[in-house]
Amino acid sequence: MLNWAARYFPIIRTIKKHGLYESGTLLEIGSGPYGIGTFRKVPFTGCDLSFSAKEQWPMTQLAASAADLPLADRSFDMVLASDVLEHIPPSLRVQVISEALRVADKLVIFGFPCGKAAHDSDTALREKYLDKGIKVPEWLEEHMDAQFPEPELFQNLPGWQVEQFSNESLRFHEWMMKREMNHLFVRITGKIVRTLPSILEPILKNVDGNPSYRQIFVMTRSA
């Protein structure tokens, strides 16, 4: 859960900055069964190909492909995709971004591990799992299927202003992911995330340095 907090906290700060935290309608692409609802207790729609758990508040589940959303244009104030784009086949990534921009009225946020250094880091992490005889997580196996997305995907988006910033220094990310191989560490940090988020948030903000593991792209619709 510490890993979830590290990638969702800067997204929540961005949503607050744009005045959409308490009441803005939100679609999360690739949400899984919980998504941002773990941290933002405001109703939202979570979209995924399928869900491993029953629907529970604050999420309303939508089973659909991110490359072909069954939604009207500008039907949500904001669209979010956190650590999803790297799981999309490279041939479909532009289409997924286009669909997110189509259904968003004001704000789109994509966060994902970016570039060769991040991919090399995950390759080394996978080797550590194998060396220790621990089952490699499904998400990490999927990270091996293709190179990570690059910033060029977010160039030349007519009608949108794009901001980019770093999330999770590589050094911190590697430290955290090695520790998360230990179940006791996961339980302890999970309790801290749930009970002391206001204390943890500024600490995690301070480890968003470069070189980074993840890049976050924030797109706002031009007036």
Side-chain angles (χ1 to χ4, degrees):
M1 185 170 280
L2 182 62
N3 184 30
W4 285 17
R7 62 188 176 95
Y8 274 112
F9 282 174
I11 290 170
I12 288 173
R13 287 196 299 269
T14 299
I15 293 172
K16 288 180 176 178
K17 175 183 175 182
H18 288 269
L20 297 170
Y21 181 79
E22 294 185 357
S23 60
T25 57
L26 185 151
L27 171 70
E28 181 172 4
I29 294 171
S31 63
Y34 310 111
I36 197 172
T38 303
F39 305 100
R40 177 182 180 261
K41 302 303 182 181
V42 179
F44 73 104
T45 298
C47 174
D48 220 317
L49 292 173
S50 61
F51 295 89
S52 60
K54 292 183 178 180
E55 181 177 288
Q56 56 182 286
W57 189 88
M59 181 194 290
T60 297
Q61 294 179 352
L62 171 65
S65 168
D68 187 20
L69 295 170
L71 299 165
D73 294 357
R74 303 177 75 159
S75 51
F76 287 86
D77 290 327
M78 51 188 158
V79 176
L80 159 67
S82 176
D83 278 26
V84 173
L85 199 58
E86 73 275 17
H87 295 279
I88 302 295
S91 61
L92 291 177
R93 288 171 180 171
V94 170
Q95 179 64 21
V96 168
I97 295 168
S98 296
E99 279 291 273
L101 296 173
R102 180 182 66 81
V103 302
D105 185 46
K106 300 175 181 176
L107 181 70
V108 176
I109 305 171
F110 273 85
F112 51 86
C114 185
K116 184 178 184 300
H119 197 275
D120 289 346
S121 176
D122 275 359
T123 301
L125 177 64
R126 181 179 181 273
E127 290 301 317
K128 289 188 179 296
Y129 272 96
L130 294 174
D131 289 345
K132 291 180 176 291
I134 304 173
K135 180 178 173 58
V136 180
E138 182 178 358
W139 63 265
L140 184 55
E141 288 286 19
E142 290 182 2
H143 280 192
M144 301 297 104
D145 291 343
Q147 292 299 310
F148 287 160
E150 295 287 352
E152 288 73 20
L153 287 169
F154 296 90
Q155 294 178 352
N156 303 317
L157 299 177
W160 294 88
Q161 296 179 340
V162 182
E163 174 190 2
Q164 175 185 354
F165 60 89
S166 299
N167 174 222
E168 282 186 39
S169 71
L170 267 176
R171 182 177 180 181
F172 170 74
H173 177 79
E174 291 170 355
W175 174 87
M176 175 176 60
M177 298 313 298
K178 291 174 185 176
R179 299 305 182 279
E180 288 201 349
M181 297 170 72
N182 182 295
H183 293 300
L184 179 60
F185 178 86
V186 172
R187 288 198 297 271
I188 292 172
T189 55
K191 186 174 182 179
I192 293 171
V193 170
R194 288 189 294 270
T195 59
L196 299 170
S198 61
I199 295 176
L200 183 62
E201 195 272 343
I203 295 174
L204 290 177
K205 185 177 181 180
N206 284 331
V207 296
D208 282 345
N210 289 310
S212 69
Y213 174 75
R214 183 181 295 104
Q215 290 290 304
I216 295 178
F217 290 81
V218 179
M219 286 141 283
T220 52
R221 191 179 288 275
S222 302

